[in-house]
Amino acid sequence: MRRIVAILFAVPLIVGAAPDPRTARAVHDRAIVLDTHFDTPANLGRAGWSIMDRHDVATTGDQVDVPRMVEGGVDGGFFAIYTAQGPRTPEGDRAARDAALVRAVQIREMVAAHPDVFRLTTTSAEARAAVAARKRFVFMSMENGYPFEADLTLMRTFQRLGVTMMSPVHFRDNDLADSATDKPEWNGLSETGRAFVAEANRLGIVIDASHSSDLALRQMIAQSKAPIILSHSGVRGVFDHPRNVSDADLRLLAAKGGVVQVNAFNGYMVPQPKIAEREAAIKALMTGIDPAKATDADRRKVLAGRKAIDARWPVPKARFDDVMKHLFHAIAVAGIDHVGMSGDFDGGGGVEGFDDVSDYPKVSAALLARGFSAADVAKVWGGNALRVLDEAQRRAEPGVKPVIPVTG
């Protein structure tokens, strides 16, 4: 009975009239709006591509750029250094390290090339100062620990380049941890994975458990001295998928002060039937195309091909309301202080009615319509994530902070 009462108080169930659009937008604009997982850095190596240009999600799939950040009232976010898992060999580890270093430099070059627009930030105070200066803040994160799994001292190297958040694993197991979408190898964290948690705590780096197995997530929560984050995850209470987090683990996460950032990835929002012909067609479409090197022509070809595949073998499409179901469920279980938002944009995220950063004000309006306050909206959009960053850095060992500055 007490659990039911707690849920009733956690999420206002009386839905009044929709807020005036101008009021909702004003609330949105007063909040610090950040996304904890932009995969946009993958575009920085594309010939002729610029984050300063407005792109079209319908033709090239691009979801994040400065014009649409302005339109969506997005103040900044965590720009991810993503490294696909490859061979766990000395050669593979070196290649992953080098690729991640290149991507980190590309992010810094983006900031340096547009000093009137961007500011590289590593603390919440710096992010707030960037907003006050009418600039978009750029945090750096790492998705997958492949680049440093063989040498954890590289964590400090990446931190000095500006990285403030790291995840140990992605779609496949690696030397640090089991993935949510692979067969268990370590029963959670490996010995090196446990050392990763300790080193992240020492350095004040936020631990991101998205893509980790349930056991790895629980072990990180238990071992970490600082709260951790799920930078882009759905909730299993709405859709039972291994990439989504269970209610029990949401409670563990919240009890430790952590935050789940609800994503908008179609396959994690609603059930997706397995259609062998469809999967074979998608695989054939992507053969020979390196997402990191794809030209606009390649991307247009892929999008056109996907539309043809969807027409021939349709699957359910998630909508904005489905994303909100995940968000409201996470709030009901974990509490308003432990939930945020990430579109997982430029990394496969996006659903009908919510497919680029210009759509972010819709979330604020939906929260207000549900009865949440302006203060609640501010927590969801950035306050909770920045609190986790603050706490991780507060617990760091003294003397590890200096970051190589960006010069324009």
Side-chain angles (χ1 to χ4, degrees), residues 32 122-129 139 386-387 389-390 393:
I32 292 182
T122 59
T123 69
S124 67
E126 291 170 357
R128 296 179 196 280
F139 286 107
L386 291 177
R387 172 182 53 76
L389 177 64
D390 286 343
Q393 293 177 342

Side-chain angles (χ1 to χ4, degrees), residues 244-316:
N244 293 341
V245 59
S246 71
D247 286 2
D249 289 337
L250 276 175
R251 295 185 191 103
L252 289 175
L253 181 77
K256 197 70 174 280
V259 174
V260 58
Q261 302 283 125
V262 173
N263 70 5
F265 195 99
N266 188 78
Y268 306 148
M269 297 289 101
V270 296
Q272 302 285 296
K274 292 285 186 181
I275 303 174
E277 296 87 350
R278 174 186 169 87
E279 293 181 3
I282 292 173
K283 183 177 180 180
L285 176 66
M286 296 304 298
T287 299
I289 295 179
D290 181 350
K293 299 177 182 178
T295 64
D296 276 358
D298 291 331
R299 294 171 74 89
R300 290 172 190 271
K301 175 185 174 182
V302 168
L303 283 173
R306 283 300 298 261
K307 289 178 181 178
I309 291 170
D310 288 342
R312 186 170 181 183
W313 298 287
V315 295

